[in-house]
mmCIF file of all heavy atoms in Angstrom:
data_model
loop_
_atom_site.group_PDB
_atom_site.id
_atom_site.type_symbol
_atom_site.label_atom_id
_atom_site.label_comp_id
_atom_site.label_asym_id
_atom_site.label_seq_id
_atom_site.Cartn_x
_atom_site.Cartn_y
_atom_site.Cartn_z
ATOM 1 N N ALA A 570 -72.410 -131.807 6.242
ATOM 2 C CA ALA A 570 -73.165 -132.229 7.426
ATOM 3 C C ALA A 570 -72.200 -132.920 8.374
ATOM 4 O O ALA A 570 -71.259 -133.588 7.935
ATOM 5 C CB ALA A 570 -74.303 -133.167 7.047
ATOM 6 N N GLU A 571 -72.430 -132.744 9.659
ATOM 7 C CA GLU A 571 -71.590 -133.379 10.669
ATOM 8 C C GLU A 571 -72.429 -134.351 11.493
ATOM 9 O O GLU A 571 -73.613 -134.094 11.763
ATOM 10 C CB GLU A 571 -70.954 -132.334 11.581
ATOM 11 C CG GLU A 571 -69.969 -131.422 10.854
ATOM 12 C CD GLU A 571 -69.235 -130.495 11.810
ATOM 13 O OE1 GLU A 571 -69.651 -130.390 12.993
ATOM 14 O OE2 GLU A 571 -68.243 -129.875 11.380
ATOM 15 N N PHE A 572 -71.800 -135.464 11.884
ATOM 16 C CA PHE A 572 -72.484 -136.496 12.645
ATOM 17 C C PHE A 572 -71.593 -136.951 13.801
ATOM 18 O O PHE A 572 -70.410 -136.617 13.852
ATOM 19 C CB PHE A 572 -72.824 -137.693 11.749
ATOM 20 C CG PHE A 572 -73.747 -137.359 10.611
ATOM 21 C CD1 PHE A 572 -73.246 -137.053 9.353
ATOM 22 C CD2 PHE A 572 -75.114 -137.321 10.801
ATOM 23 C CE1 PHE A 572 -74.095 -136.721 8.306
ATOM 24 C CE2 PHE A 572 -75.972 -136.992 9.766
ATOM 25 C CZ PHE A 572 -75.464 -136.695 8.519
ATOM 26 N N ALA A 573 -72.196 -137.741 14.693
ATOM 27 C CA ALA A 573 -71.465 -138.319 15.838
ATOM 28 C C ALA A 573 -70.718 -137.230 16.609
ATOM 29 O O ALA A 573 -69.512 -137.325 16.835
ATOM 30 C CB ALA A 573 -70.517 -139.416 15.359
ATOM 31 N N ASP A 574 -71.467 -136.187 16.980
ATOM 32 C CA ASP A 574 -70.888 -135.080 17.757
ATOM 33 C C ASP A 574 -69.699 -134.436 17.056
ATOM 34 O O ASP A 574 -68.726 -134.025 17.689
ATOM 35 C CB ASP A 574 -70.470 -135.564 19.153
ATOM 36 C CG ASP A 574 -71.646 -136.062 19.983
ATOM 37 O OD1 ASP A 574 -72.719 -135.455 19.885
ATOM 38 O OD2 ASP A 574 -71.478 -137.057 20.702
ATOM 39 N N ARG A 576 -67.521 -135.799 14.964
ATOM 40 C CA ARG A 576 -66.364 -136.649 14.651
ATOM 41 C C ARG A 576 -66.409 -137.190 13.231
ATOM 42 O O ARG A 576 -65.389 -137.626 12.694
ATOM 43 C CB ARG A 576 -66.287 -137.817 15.642
ATOM 44 C CG ARG A 576 -65.805 -137.405 17.027
ATOM 45 C CD ARG A 576 -65.659 -138.608 17.929
ATOM 46 N NE ARG A 576 -66.953 -139.172 18.275
ATOM 47 C CZ ARG A 576 -67.133 -140.399 18.743
ATOM 48 N NH1 ARG A 576 -66.094 -141.207 18.883
ATOM 49 N NH2 ARG A 576 -68.330 -140.818 19.057
ATOM 50 N N VAL A 577 -67.586 -137.176 12.616
ATOM 51 C CA VAL A 577 -67.765 -137.689 11.255
ATOM 52 C C VAL A 577 -68.337 -136.571 10.397
ATOM 53 O O VAL A 577 -69.243 -135.850 10.825
ATOM 54 C CB VAL A 577 -68.711 -138.906 11.250
ATOM 55 C CG1 VAL A 577 -69.086 -139.308 9.829
ATOM 56 C CG2 VAL A 577 -68.081 -140.087 11.984
ATOM 57 N N VAL A 578 -67.808 -136.413 9.184
ATOM 58 C CA VAL A 578 -68.331 -135.395 8.278
ATOM 59 C C VAL A 578 -68.793 -136.040 6.973
ATOM 60 O O VAL A 578 -68.179 -136.995 6.483
ATOM 61 C CB VAL A 578 -67.286 -134.302 7.968
ATOM 62 C CG1 VAL A 578 -67.058 -133.437 9.176
ATOM 63 C CG2 VAL A 578 -65.990 -134.883 7.470
ATOM 64 N N PHE A 579 -69.893 -135.509 6.455
ATOM 65 C CA PHE A 579 -70.411 -135.888 5.139
ATOM 66 C C PHE A 579 -70.256 -134.669 4.248
ATOM 67 O O PHE A 579 -70.722 -133.577 4.588
ATOM 68 C CB PHE A 579 -71.874 -136.306 5.244
ATOM 69 C CG PHE A 579 -72.514 -136.597 3.916
ATOM 70 C CD1 PHE A 579 -72.451 -137.861 3.363
ATOM 71 C CD2 PHE A 579 -73.177 -135.598 3.215
ATOM 72 C CE1 PHE A 579 -73.032 -138.135 2.143
ATOM 73 C CE2 PHE A 579 -73.760 -135.858 1.994
ATOM 74 C CZ PHE A 579 -73.689 -137.131 1.452
ATOM 75 N N LEU A 580 -69.591 -134.837 3.110
ATOM 76 C CA LEU A 580 -69.265 -133.703 2.243
ATOM 77 C C LEU A 580 -69.582 -134.026 0.790
ATOM 78 O O LEU A 580 -69.476 -135.179 0.363
ATOM 79 C CB LEU A 580 -67.780 -133.351 2.367
ATOM 80 C CG LEU A 580 -67.285 -132.965 3.763
ATOM 81 C CD1 LEU A 580 -65.773 -132.997 3.813
ATOM 82 C CD2 LEU A 580 -67.796 -131.588 4.130
ATOM 83 N N LEU A 608 -65.375 -143.018 2.496
ATOM 84 C CA LEU A 608 -66.173 -143.855 1.601
ATOM 85 C C LEU A 608 -67.038 -142.955 0.742
ATOM 86 O O LEU A 608 -67.743 -142.075 1.262
ATOM 87 C CB LEU A 608 -67.060 -144.809 2.409
ATOM 88 C CG LEU A 608 -67.985 -145.708 1.578
ATOM 89 C CD1 LEU A 608 -67.165 -146.789 0.864
ATOM 90 C CD2 LEU A 608 -69.050 -146.348 2.458
ATOM 91 N N THR A 610 -70.246 -142.398 -0.991
ATOM 92 C CA THR A 610 -71.569 -142.984 -0.817
ATOM 93 C C THR A 610 -72.468 -142.773 -2.022
ATOM 94 O O THR A 610 -73.389 -143.558 -2.257
ATOM 95 C CB THR A 610 -72.269 -142.389 0.412
ATOM 96 O OG1 THR A 610 -72.369 -140.971 0.242
ATOM 97 C CG2 THR A 610 -71.484 -142.679 1.676
ATOM 98 N N PHE A 635 -69.013 -138.014 -0.026
ATOM 99 C CA PHE A 635 -68.287 -139.005 0.751
ATOM 100 C C PHE A 635 -68.391 -138.704 2.231
ATOM 101 O O PHE A 635 -68.696 -137.583 2.660
ATOM 102 C CB PHE A 635 -66.828 -139.113 0.303
ATOM 103 C CG PHE A 635 -65.953 -137.953 0.700
ATOM 104 C CD1 PHE A 635 -65.250 -137.969 1.893
ATOM 105 C CD2 PHE A 635 -65.811 -136.859 -0.135
ATOM 106 C CE1 PHE A 635 -64.425 -136.911 2.253
ATOM 107 C CE2 PHE A 635 -64.997 -135.792 0.218
ATOM 108 C CZ PHE A 635 -64.299 -135.823 1.418
ATOM 109 N N VAL A 636 -68.155 -139.731 3.031
ATOM 110 C CA VAL A 636 -68.191 -139.624 4.476
ATOM 111 C C VAL A 636 -66.835 -140.063 5.011
ATOM 112 O O VAL A 636 -66.212 -140.981 4.461
ATOM 113 C CB VAL A 636 -69.341 -140.471 5.067
ATOM 114 C CG1 VAL A 636 -69.171 -141.941 4.763
ATOM 115 C CG2 VAL A 636 -69.497 -140.232 6.555
ATOM 116 N N CYS A 637 -66.356 -139.383 6.047
ATOM 117 C CA CYS A 637 -65.031 -139.726 6.567
ATOM 118 C C CYS A 637 -64.895 -139.309 8.020
ATOM 119 O O CYS A 637 -65.717 -138.541 8.546
ATOM 120 C CB CYS A 637 -63.930 -139.070 5.727
ATOM 121 S SG CYS A 637 -63.775 -137.291 5.963
ATOM 122 N N THR A 793 -80.863 -139.965 15.191
ATOM 123 C CA THR A 793 -80.397 -138.823 15.982
ATOM 124 C C THR A 793 -80.018 -137.617 15.142
ATOM 125 O O THR A 793 -79.853 -136.528 15.681
ATOM 126 C CB THR A 793 -79.184 -139.226 16.837
ATOM 127 O OG1 THR A 793 -78.128 -139.657 15.984
ATOM 128 C CG2 THR A 793 -79.555 -140.365 17.786
ATOM 129 N N ALA A 794 -79.841 -137.792 13.837
ATOM 130 C CA ALA A 794 -79.488 -136.659 12.973
ATOM 131 C C ALA A 794 -79.932 -136.963 11.550
ATOM 132 O O ALA A 794 -79.944 -138.126 11.121
ATOM 133 C CB ALA A 794 -77.989 -136.382 13.014
ATOM 134 N N ALA A 796 -79.621 -135.153 7.469
ATOM 135 C CA ALA A 796 -79.194 -134.103 6.545
ATOM 136 C C ALA A 796 -79.825 -134.386 5.192
ATOM 137 O O ALA A 796 -79.727 -135.509 4.682
ATOM 138 C CB ALA A 796 -77.673 -134.072 6.410
ATOM 139 N N GLU A 804 -81.252 -138.336 1.649
ATOM 140 C CA GLU A 804 -80.986 -137.987 3.034
ATOM 141 C C GLU A 804 -79.809 -138.788 3.554
ATOM 142 O O GLU A 804 -79.523 -139.883 3.073
ATOM 143 C CB GLU A 804 -82.210 -138.264 3.921
ATOM 144 C CG GLU A 804 -83.352 -137.299 3.716
ATOM 145 C CD GLU A 804 -84.479 -137.496 4.716
ATOM 146 O OE1 GLU A 804 -84.300 -138.294 5.678
ATOM 147 O OE2 GLU A 804 -85.533 -136.860 4.546
ATOM 148 N N VAL A 805 -79.134 -138.204 4.539
ATOM 149 C CA VAL A 805 -78.117 -138.927 5.297
ATOM 150 C C VAL A 805 -78.627 -138.997 6.732
ATOM 151 O O VAL A 805 -78.948 -137.971 7.336
ATOM 152 C CB VAL A 805 -76.753 -138.230 5.244
ATOM 153 C CG1 VAL A 805 -75.699 -139.077 5.945
ATOM 154 C CG2 VAL A 805 -76.335 -137.983 3.797
ATOM 155 N N LEU A 806 -78.730 -140.211 7.255
ATOM 156 C CA LEU A 806 -79.266 -140.433 8.588
ATOM 157 C C LEU A 806 -78.170 -140.922 9.532
ATOM 158 O O LEU A 806 -77.294 -141.692 9.119
ATOM 159 C CB LEU A 806 -80.383 -141.482 8.565
ATOM 160 C CG LEU A 806 -81.510 -141.326 7.539
ATOM 161 C CD1 LEU A 806 -82.471 -142.502 7.651
ATOM 162 C CD2 LEU A 806 -82.257 -140.020 7.747
ATOM 163 N N GLU A 807 -78.241 -140.503 10.771
ATOM 164 C CA GLU A 807 -77.431 -141.111 11.824
ATOM 165 C C GLU A 807 -78.367 -141.892 12.728
ATOM 166 O O GLU A 807 -79.305 -141.332 13.315
ATOM 167 C CB GLU A 807 -76.686 -140.055 12.637
ATOM 168 C CG GLU A 807 -75.829 -140.654 13.751
ATOM 169 C CD GLU A 807 -75.165 -139.606 14.615
ATOM 170 O OE1 GLU A 807 -75.116 -138.428 14.206
ATOM 171 O OE2 GLU A 807 -74.684 -139.960 15.707
ATOM 172 N N VAL A 808 -78.134 -143.194 12.805
ATOM 173 C CA VAL A 808 -79.012 -144.091 13.557
ATOM 174 C C VAL A 808 -78.222 -144.736 14.688
ATOM 175 O O VAL A 808 -77.087 -145.189 14.480
ATOM 176 C CB VAL A 808 -79.585 -145.186 12.627
ATOM 177 C CG1 VAL A 808 -80.432 -146.171 13.411
ATOM 178 C CG2 VAL A 808 -80.391 -144.560 11.501
ATOM 179 N N VAL A 809 -78.811 -144.798 15.870
ATOM 180 C CA VAL A 809 -78.222 -145.533 16.988
ATOM 181 C C VAL A 809 -78.857 -146.923 17.027
ATOM 182 O O VAL A 809 -80.076 -147.054 17.109
ATOM 183 C CB VAL A 809 -78.449 -144.810 18.325
ATOM 184 C CG1 VAL A 809 -77.848 -145.616 19.471
ATOM 185 C CG2 VAL A 809 -77.838 -143.417 18.289
ATOM 186 N N MET A 810 -78.030 -147.958 16.942
ATOM 187 C CA MET A 810 -78.549 -149.322 16.858
ATOM 188 C C MET A 810 -79.150 -149.768 18.195
ATOM 189 O O MET A 810 -78.498 -149.709 19.232
ATOM 190 C CB MET A 810 -77.439 -150.294 16.453
ATOM 191 C CG MET A 810 -76.895 -150.062 15.058
ATOM 192 S SD MET A 810 -78.186 -150.136 13.783
ATOM 193 C CE MET A 810 -78.830 -151.804 14.017
ATOM 194 N N ALA A 830 -79.670 -147.614 -0.524
ATOM 195 C CA ALA A 830 -79.027 -147.118 0.695
ATOM 196 C C ALA A 830 -77.643 -147.725 0.826
ATOM 197 O O ALA A 830 -77.378 -148.812 0.318
ATOM 198 C CB ALA A 830 -79.870 -147.463 1.924
ATOM 199 N N VAL A 831 -76.768 -147.017 1.517
ATOM 200 C CA VAL A 831 -75.419 -147.525 1.748
ATOM 201 C C VAL A 831 -74.958 -147.084 3.137
ATOM 202 O O VAL A 831 -75.184 -145.935 3.547
ATOM 203 C CB VAL A 831 -74.434 -147.026 0.664
ATOM 204 C CG1 VAL A 831 -74.384 -145.511 0.610
ATOM 205 C CG2 VAL A 831 -73.044 -147.602 0.877
ATOM 206 N N ILE A 832 -74.364 -148.032 3.875
ATOM 207 C CA ILE A 832 -73.797 -147.703 5.183
ATOM 208 C C ILE A 832 -72.457 -147.016 4.952
ATOM 209 O O ILE A 832 -71.536 -147.603 4.377
ATOM 210 C CB ILE A 832 -73.606 -148.974 6.034
ATOM 211 C CG1 ILE A 832 -74.964 -149.638 6.300
ATOM 212 C CG2 ILE A 832 -72.922 -148.632 7.354
ATOM 213 C CD1 ILE A 832 -74.859 -150.958 7.042
ATOM 214 N N GLY A 833 -72.338 -145.776 5.413
ATOM 215 C CA GLY A 833 -71.122 -145.014 5.157
ATOM 216 C C GLY A 833 -70.073 -145.165 6.231
ATOM 217 O O GLY A 833 -68.880 -145.261 5.931
ATOM 218 N N ILE A 834 -70.510 -145.203 7.485
ATOM 219 C CA ILE A 834 -69.532 -145.222 8.576
ATOM 220 C C ILE A 834 -70.189 -145.755 9.838
ATOM 221 O O ILE A 834 -71.409 -145.618 10.020
ATOM 222 C CB ILE A 834 -68.944 -143.806 8.789
ATOM 223 C CG1 ILE A 834 -67.449 -143.841 9.148
ATOM 224 C CG2 ILE A 834 -69.718 -143.029 9.824
ATOM 225 C CD1 ILE A 834 -66.738 -142.515 8.942
ATOM 226 N N ILE A 835 -69.403 -146.374 10.687
ATOM 227 C CA ILE A 835 -69.867 -146.867 11.986
ATOM 228 C C ILE A 835 -68.994 -146.237 13.068
ATOM 229 O O ILE A 835 -67.769 -146.280 12.981
ATOM 230 C CB ILE A 835 -69.769 -148.406 12.072
ATOM 231 C CG1 ILE A 835 -70.609 -149.070 10.971
ATOM 232 C CG2 ILE A 835 -70.210 -148.905 13.445
ATOM 233 C CD1 ILE A 835 -70.356 -150.567 10.839
ATOM 234 N N VAL A 836 -69.632 -145.647 14.066
ATOM 235 C CA VAL A 836 -68.912 -145.075 15.200
ATOM 236 C C VAL A 836 -69.233 -145.931 16.420
ATOM 237 O O VAL A 836 -70.391 -146.033 16.844
ATOM 238 C CB VAL A 836 -69.304 -143.612 15.442
ATOM 239 C CG1 VAL A 836 -68.537 -143.054 16.637
ATOM 240 C CG2 VAL A 836 -69.031 -142.768 14.198
ATOM 241 N N VAL A 841 -63.869 -145.145 14.882
ATOM 242 C CA VAL A 841 -64.593 -144.799 13.656
ATOM 243 C C VAL A 841 -64.223 -145.815 12.590
ATOM 244 O O VAL A 841 -63.042 -145.962 12.243
ATOM 245 C CB VAL A 841 -64.249 -143.368 13.186
ATOM 246 C CG1 VAL A 841 -64.959 -143.052 11.884
ATOM 247 C CG2 VAL A 841 -64.640 -142.352 14.263
ATOM 248 N N VAL A 842 -65.223 -146.524 12.065
ATOM 249 C CA VAL A 842 -64.984 -147.635 11.158
ATOM 250 C C VAL A 842 -65.619 -147.356 9.798
ATOM 251 O O VAL A 842 -66.812 -147.047 9.712
ATOM 252 C CB VAL A 842 -65.582 -148.947 11.728
ATOM 253 C CG1 VAL A 842 -65.360 -150.114 10.767
ATOM 254 C CG2 VAL A 842 -64.994 -149.243 13.098
ATOM 255 N N ILE A 843 -64.816 -147.435 8.723
ATOM 256 C CA ILE A 843 -65.362 -147.511 7.367
ATOM 257 C C ILE A 843 -65.646 -148.988 7.123
ATOM 258 O O ILE A 843 -64.729 -149.790 7.022
ATOM 259 C CB ILE A 843 -64.371 -146.970 6.322
ATOM 260 C CG1 ILE A 843 -64.123 -145.481 6.536
ATOM 261 C CG2 ILE A 843 -64.903 -147.218 4.916
ATOM 262 C CD1 ILE A 843 -65.307 -144.591 6.265
ATOM 263 N N PRO A 844 -66.917 -149.374 7.051
ATOM 264 C CA PRO A 844 -67.233 -150.802 7.108
ATOM 265 C C PRO A 844 -66.954 -151.552 5.813
ATOM 266 O O PRO A 844 -67.124 -151.021 4.712
ATOM 267 C CB PRO A 844 -68.730 -150.812 7.429
ATOM 268 C CG PRO A 844 -69.235 -149.527 6.856
ATOM 269 C CD PRO A 844 -68.115 -148.537 7.006
ATOM 270 N N LEU A 850 -72.521 -154.874 13.140
ATOM 271 C CA LEU A 850 -73.080 -153.818 13.962
ATOM 272 C C LEU A 850 -73.308 -154.334 15.379
ATOM 273 O O LEU A 850 -73.650 -155.503 15.577
ATOM 274 C CB LEU A 850 -74.405 -153.324 13.376
ATOM 275 C CG LEU A 850 -74.338 -152.745 11.966
ATOM 276 C CD1 LEU A 850 -75.744 -152.459 11.450
ATOM 277 C CD2 LEU A 850 -73.503 -151.471 11.933
ATOM 278 N N ASP A 854 -74.057 -148.703 18.515
ATOM 279 C CA ASP A 854 -73.293 -148.124 17.402
ATOM 280 C C ASP A 854 -74.057 -146.953 16.798
ATOM 281 O O ASP A 854 -75.286 -146.997 16.643
ATOM 282 C CB ASP A 854 -73.063 -149.155 16.295
ATOM 283 C CG ASP A 854 -71.969 -150.160 16.638
ATOM 284 O OD1 ASP A 854 -71.297 -149.964 17.659
ATOM 285 O OD2 ASP A 854 -71.796 -151.122 15.861
ATOM 286 N N HIS A 855 -73.325 -145.902 16.407
ATOM 287 C CA HIS A 855 -73.889 -144.819 15.611
ATOM 288 C C HIS A 855 -73.552 -145.117 14.152
ATOM 289 O O HIS A 855 -72.371 -145.179 13.786
ATOM 290 C CB HIS A 855 -73.317 -143.470 16.033
ATOM 291 C CG HIS A 855 -73.829 -142.985 17.348
ATOM 292 N ND1 HIS A 855 -74.602 -141.854 17.478
ATOM 293 C CD2 HIS A 855 -73.716 -143.508 18.597
ATOM 294 C CE1 HIS A 855 -74.921 -141.684 18.748
ATOM 295 N NE2 HIS A 855 -74.391 -142.673 19.448
ATOM 296 N N VAL A 856 -74.575 -145.298 13.330
ATOM 297 C CA VAL A 856 -74.385 -145.693 11.940
ATOM 298 C C VAL A 856 -74.839 -144.550 11.038
ATOM 299 O O VAL A 856 -75.970 -144.056 11.169
ATOM 300 C CB VAL A 856 -75.184 -146.969 11.602
ATOM 301 C CG1 VAL A 856 -74.848 -147.451 10.194
ATOM 302 C CG2 VAL A 856 -74.892 -148.063 12.623
ATOM 303 N N VAL A 857 -73.970 -144.097 10.147
ATOM 304 C CA VAL A 857 -74.298 -143.028 9.199
ATOM 305 C C VAL A 857 -74.648 -143.682 7.871
ATOM 306 O O VAL A 857 -73.845 -144.424 7.301
ATOM 307 C CB VAL A 857 -73.126 -142.042 9.040
ATOM 308 C CG1 VAL A 857 -73.476 -140.961 8.024
ATOM 309 C CG2 VAL A 857 -72.777 -141.413 10.387
ATOM 310 N N ILE A 858 -75.855 -143.411 7.383
ATOM 311 C CA ILE A 858 -76.406 -144.100 6.219
ATOM 312 C C ILE A 858 -76.845 -143.084 5.178
ATOM 313 O O ILE A 858 -77.585 -142.140 5.489
ATOM 314 C CB ILE A 858 -77.631 -144.962 6.622
ATOM 315 C CG1 ILE A 858 -77.278 -145.897 7.777
ATOM 316 C CG2 ILE A 858 -78.179 -145.741 5.438
ATOM 317 C CD1 ILE A 858 -78.453 -146.209 8.670
ATOM 318 N N PHE A 859 -76.387 -143.256 3.939
ATOM 319 C CA PHE A 859 -76.887 -142.459 2.817
ATOM 320 C C PHE A 859 -78.056 -143.216 2.198
ATOM 321 O O PHE A 859 -77.950 -144.411 1.919
ATOM 322 C CB PHE A 859 -75.793 -142.250 1.766
ATOM 323 C CG PHE A 859 -76.247 -141.459 0.567
ATOM 324 C CD1 PHE A 859 -76.077 -140.083 0.530
ATOM 325 C CD2 PHE A 859 -76.868 -142.076 -0.506
ATOM 326 C CE1 PHE A 859 -76.505 -139.345 -0.565
ATOM 327 C CE2 PHE A 859 -77.296 -141.343 -1.610
ATOM 328 C CZ PHE A 859 -77.109 -139.977 -1.633
ATOM 329 N N THR A 860 -79.176 -142.529 1.977
ATOM 330 C CA THR A 860 -80.343 -143.206 1.417
ATOM 331 C C THR A 860 -81.069 -142.335 0.393
ATOM 332 O O THR A 860 -81.279 -141.140 0.619
ATOM 333 C CB THR A 860 -81.326 -143.629 2.530
ATOM 334 O OG1 THR A 860 -82.527 -144.139 1.949
ATOM 335 C CG2 THR A 860 -81.668 -142.471 3.459
ATOM 336 N N VAL A 868 -85.307 -148.041 5.153
ATOM 337 C CA VAL A 868 -84.096 -147.897 5.968
ATOM 338 C C VAL A 868 -84.460 -147.715 7.438
ATOM 339 O O VAL A 868 -83.865 -148.325 8.329
ATOM 340 C CB VAL A 868 -83.237 -146.725 5.466
ATOM 341 C CG1 VAL A 868 -82.173 -146.342 6.482
ATOM 342 C CG2 VAL A 868 -82.590 -147.082 4.136
ATOM 343 N N PHE A 872 -83.240 -150.545 10.288
ATOM 344 C CA PHE A 872 -82.267 -150.282 11.349
ATOM 345 C C PHE A 872 -82.931 -150.017 12.702
ATOM 346 O O PHE A 872 -82.251 -149.655 13.658
ATOM 347 C CB PHE A 872 -81.394 -149.100 10.968
ATOM 348 C CG PHE A 872 -80.399 -149.421 9.872
ATOM 349 C CD1 PHE A 872 -80.699 -149.137 8.550
ATOM 350 C CD2 PHE A 872 -79.196 -150.036 10.173
ATOM 351 C CE1 PHE A 872 -79.800 -149.434 7.537
ATOM 352 C CE2 PHE A 872 -78.297 -150.333 9.169
ATOM 353 C CZ PHE A 872 -78.596 -150.052 7.848
#
Side-chain angles (χ1 to χ4, degrees):
E571 295 186 348
F572 298 95
D574 297 322
R576 286 184 290 161
V577 171
V578 289
F579 175 88
L580 301 165
L608 178 72
T610 59
F635 73 91
V636 62
C637 73
T793 60
E804 288 187 8
V805 185
L806 310 178
E807 180 184 345
V808 177
V809 179
M810 295 303 301
V831 58
I832 298 176
I834 217 162
I835 301 169
V836 180
V841 177
V842 179
I843 295 293
L850 300 173
D854 283 352
H855 287 245
V856 186
V857 179
I858 307 150
F859 179 93
T860 173
V868 166
F872 287 95

